[in-house]
Amino acid sequence: MQALSPELQAKAAKIKLLVLDVDGVLTDGRIFIRDNGEEVKSFHTLDGHGLKMLQQSGVQTAIITGRDAPSVGLRVKQLGINYYFKGIHDKRAAYAELRAQAGVEEHECAFVGDDVVDLPVMVRCGLPVAVPEAHWFTRQHAVYITQRSAGKGAVREVCDVIMQAQGTLEAALQEYVK
């Protein structure tokens, strides 16, 4: 794992809740729509396992998304994501409600986004993260931009960064080689 900058280390060490957008973060941003109207999304297993490891380390997870796709609800259940806000048009209000439910302060939250609709949360949270494909204005407001692409391990990278900063990553990884 790469060395974290002092700023990233300090911010990531405080994170108690990781909040994610879906399209363009957990997916590559493309939406496939079948003739019957069903949406099909593609999720990466690296992201899924990273979220499970992060949860096991004591960090809560959440999704705030503007869309309401059944496939996302299924993925949320598969991963045991703690909080799921779907069909949200005002992410700022949902974020305030989420923080109250989770019992965390803004500086204890990380958010991964890709577009300007994510900025109301990104500019308020303790660790704003963007994926490389994010809109240029969104990237300007990120403390960290992932090296991995959206839908291709970017979320796993963020999970690893948080766990590394909190000193839980190495022990979690060592469990797999015992």
Side-chain angles (χ1 to χ4, degrees):
M1 185 85 196
Q2 66 184 14
L4 305 180
S5 72
E7 178 188 21
L8 181 58
Q9 169 71 38
K11 289 180 179 292
K14 297 175 185 171
I15 300 305
K16 294 182 180 178
L17 173 66
L18 173 61
V19 187
L20 306 168
D21 179 33
V22 175
D23 295 314
V25 172
L26 276 170
T27 74
D28 66 6
R30 297 182 298 166
I31 299 170
F32 298 92
I33 302 175
R34 296 180 187 259
D35 290 341
N36 64 4
E38 176 189 17
E39 284 188 18
V40 178
K41 297 183 185 291
S42 174
F43 300 96
H44 202 292
T45 59
L46 280 176
D47 293 335
H49 195 71
L51 286 166
K52 287 183 176 185
M53 288 175 60
L54 186 67
Q55 292 163 347
Q56 289 171 357
S57 79
V59 175
Q60 299 179 80
T61 55
I63 286 178
I64 300 176
T65 180
R67 300 182 64 82
D68 182 6
S71 58
V72 176
L74 291 171
R75 191 66 176 145
V76 164
K77 286 182 184 175
Q78 290 172 346
L79 297 177
I81 290 173
N82 304 92
Y83 305 94
Y84 178 37
F85 291 78
K86 60 185 179 178
I88 300 299
H89 299 291
D90 182 355
K91 288 191 178 186
R92 179 181 310 161
Y95 176 58
E97 183 180 336
L98 168 61
R99 284 190 354 273
Q101 288 180 18
V104 295
E105 300 295 323
E106 287 188 329
H107 72 275
E108 297 171 322
C109 298
F111 184 88
V112 186
D114 72 311
D115 209 345
V116 295
V117 297
D118 299 318
L119 288 173
V121 179
M122 289 180 68
V123 300
R124 287 169 175 77
C125 73
L127 178 58
V129 178
V131 294
E133 301 83 5
H135 186 272
W136 63 268
F137 192 66
T138 305
R139 287 193 315 268
Q140 285 182 348
H141 290 85
V143 167
Y144 183 71
I145 299 172
T146 63
Q147 293 176 12
R148 300 289 304 249
S149 291
K152 297 179 181 175
V155 171
R156 174 62 170 273
E157 182 180 330
V158 175
C159 293
D160 284 355
V161 164
I162 293 169
M163 291 179 70
Q164 181 180 353
Q166 295 181 357
T168 58
L169 181 61
E170 186 61 32
L173 294 175
Q174 288 304 315
E175 286 295 315
Y176 293 98
V177 294
K178 284 187 174 179

